[in-house]
Amino acid sequence: MRTTAMRTAERRKRQRARQRAKKRRASGPFADRPQWWRDGLANTPTGEIVATLAGLNIHTDETRFREMASAHGSPDALADVWEAGSTATDIWEDYVWMAAVTLWERWTPDLFCVDLFVDQHLPLDAFRDDAPANREEAERHWAMAQAVMDLVAPRAGEPRPDLLDELTERSTVDVGWWLGELPFALARFGMVDEAAELCARMAAVREVEYFLGDRAVILAEAGRRDEALRQVEKNLARFPDDAWVRIKAGDVYRELGDAAAAEAAYRHALAMSDADEPSFDRDGAVERLICILDETGRTEEANALIESEKARAVEPGRVGDASEGEDAEDPKWLNAAPSPDYVPSASGASPGTMVRREPKVGRNDPCPCGSGKKFKRCCGS
């Protein structure tokens, strides 16, 4: 399995010509270097580029270029072939790569290239942190997300979920995971409409119940009560048997101040889970019930729920019990001692990130087993 580090290394390798040029420019004076090396080829006539390539033993025209572009799939791969038979050395190796990119844009703009898309819309420096740290970064991430959505979930045309995987392979991040986390990040900086739109568009590509559930929570957190409740109603009608749709509905009710409705939704989700098998659905419902019980002054009930779940976790013959040699682990919060003076956090944590007695792996966090998948799609399934 290709790790993020491997993807980063490969991407940097594909960008080596541009990076070499940048490093050379930064290394000192370059007044004696060619004009193209200083300014790039954007303003260089096509005929001049073709003639220069011929001088490097690279012979091409629009027809041959299109054939090679179709065969090799990217300017980087095409330039590799050119360079192998050329006389280019030192900075002229940069020319070969720059020419491949420039001619691709001029002669084959209709040929989609994942590498070029990633270079243009998912730049390396945009992902230095896990999430946007301020409004400016949030707006930049939103612009990137729009470009991805226009590609994988066009407003007119069929969704292309397979392209999300391709983008991940060519980028330095799990693009699907990033888009799954981004709506709440946007909402934190007041970009609620953008967050709601992103959820709706991602729902056309994958994990529809997850994104529509988050959409309802985001609207509720923004105080848009009627919109949030309408989304919940649609979600419950469309996915009546999905525990996480129930849990997200409870999150909405809780955010809107209806503790009774939230508790009912969480209990419904709990009843839908398998009591005899490790389940992230059950874990999610239980953790929220604990919060609701604590918030409504029923700490004894919350502690009783913890104790009952502890007892269930160690029942003889329970599927996934450690005595059978399974690797499955019980939720960490089950190991916490009951806390009679427990109170919810005063930090204003959203229902999407419920207060826990001990931290745990998030539903959409990378699985700690190292598989590269989301936790809910791996060990948390």
Side-chain angles (χ1 to χ4, degrees):
M1 179 174 295
R2 297 170 68 249
T3 64
T4 298
M6 292 169 62
R7 289 198 300 268
T8 301
E10 290 177 7
R11 185 177 174 188
R12 290 191 182 280
K13 180 179 179 181
R14 292 194 301 271
Q15 295 175 320
R16 60 187 177 274
R18 286 166 291 242
Q19 291 172 347
R20 279 200 306 264
K22 288 179 182 178
K23 288 179 181 178
R24 286 169 178 154
R25 290 188 182 98
S27 64
F30 49 83
D32 59 336
R33 301 298 174 93
Q35 188 74 27
W36 63 262
W37 191 84
R38 297 196 299 268
D39 299 336
L41 300 179
N43 297 319
T44 304
T46 299
E48 183 178 330
I49 293 175
V50 171
T52 302
L53 288 174
L56 298 172
N57 199 35
I58 299 171
H59 302 282
T60 190
D61 55 30
E62 186 169 352
T63 300
R64 278 185 282 184
F65 186 91
R66 174 170 285 276
E67 290 174 353
M68 290 190 69
S70 299
H72 296 288
S74 74
D76 292 340
L78 189 154
D80 267 338
V81 176
W82 276 355
E83 195 173 80
S86 77
T87 59
T89 58
D90 193 37
I91 64 171
W92 288 98
E93 293 175 350
D94 297 343
Y95 192 96
V96 174
W97 289 78
M98 295 165 69
V101 172
T102 302
L103 293 179
W104 188 290
E105 293 171 347
R106 295 180 186 180
W107 280 345
T108 59
D110 56 310
L111 295 183
F112 173 71
C113 173
V114 173
D115 289 340
L116 285 182
F117 182 91
V118 168
D119 287 346
Q120 293 169 1
H121 300 292
L122 299 173
L124 284 166
D125 62 354
F127 298 101
R128 290 175 180 169
D129 299 313
D130 292 337
N134 51 53
R135 174 70 183 229
E136 182 179 357
E137 289 184 9
E139 290 176 348
R140 184 183 186 189
H141 277 246
W142 167 237
M144 294 189 297
Q146 283 183 296
V148 174
M149 286 296 93
D150 288 342
L151 177 65
V152 304
R155 299 182 188 280
E158 292 297 316
R160 288 289 308 276
D162 57 299
L163 287 178
L164 278 181
D165 297 328
E166 275 199 65
L167 292 175
T168 293
E169 286 297 303
R170 298 295 187 176
S171 182
T172 59
V173 295
D174 183 327
V175 177
W177 181 85
W178 163 63
L179 291 172
E181 299 297 308
L182 186 57
F184 278 104
L186 295 177
R188 281 198 299 274
F189 295 106
M191 302 174 66
V192 177
D193 288 334
E194 293 85 347
E197 179 183 340
L198 180 54
C199 284
R201 296 188 71 182
M202 274 301 291
V205 181
R206 60 173 56 164
E207 296 179 315
V208 55
E209 66 278 14
Y210 164 71
F211 282 102
L212 294 183
D214 275 0
R215 186 175 191 274
V217 173
I218 288 169
L219 292 170
E221 290 180 339
R224 292 159 64 165
R225 181 185 185 90
D226 292 343
E227 292 177 76
L229 291 176
R230 281 197 298 271
Q231 185 68 66
V232 166
E233 183 178 351
K234 291 178 181 178
N235 294 348
L236 292 174
R238 185 174 178 183
F239 307 103
D241 300 322
D242 189 285
W244 271 96
V245 167
R246 297 281 172 181
I247 291 171
K248 292 289 184 179
D251 291 347
V252 170
Y253 299 141
R254 178 173 177 263
E255 181 66 31
L256 297 177
D258 192 340
E263 181 178 345
Y266 298 148
R267 290 194 182 279
H268 194 152
L270 184 61
M272 294 168 69
S273 68
D274 189 340
D276 296 323
E277 184 175 347
S279 166
F280 200 78
D281 295 349
R282 187 176 186 87
D283 186 17
V286 168
E287 85 170 298
R288 285 159 167 81
L289 270 175
I290 291 170
C291 287
I292 282 289
L293 293 173
D294 277 318
E295 288 173 352
T296 54
R298 293 177 286 167
T299 304
E300 290 186 5
E301 289 184 53
N303 289 335
L305 177 57
I306 291 176
E307 290 304 313
S308 68
E309 289 298 299
K310 283 184 178 181
R312 180 190 63 82
V314 297
E315 284 178 0
R318 175 174 172 263
V319 176
D321 189 272
S323 64
E324 298 178 7
E326 298 288 343
D327 293 330
E329 296 182 2
D330 293 312
K332 292 181 179 180
W333 61 267
L334 286 178
N335 297 320
S339 176
D341 58 351
Y342 169 78
V343 293
S345 168
S347 63
S350 72
T353 310
M354 303 295 287
V355 178
R356 303 184 61 83
R357 299 186 181 214
E358 284 192 24
K360 64 167 289 178
V361 180
R363 180 174 181 245
N364 286 279
D365 290 343
C367 190
C369 77
S371 68
K373 299 179 181 179
K374 290 183 182 180
F375 179 66
K376 70 170 186 174
R377 295 298 187 193
C378 192
C379 297
S381 61

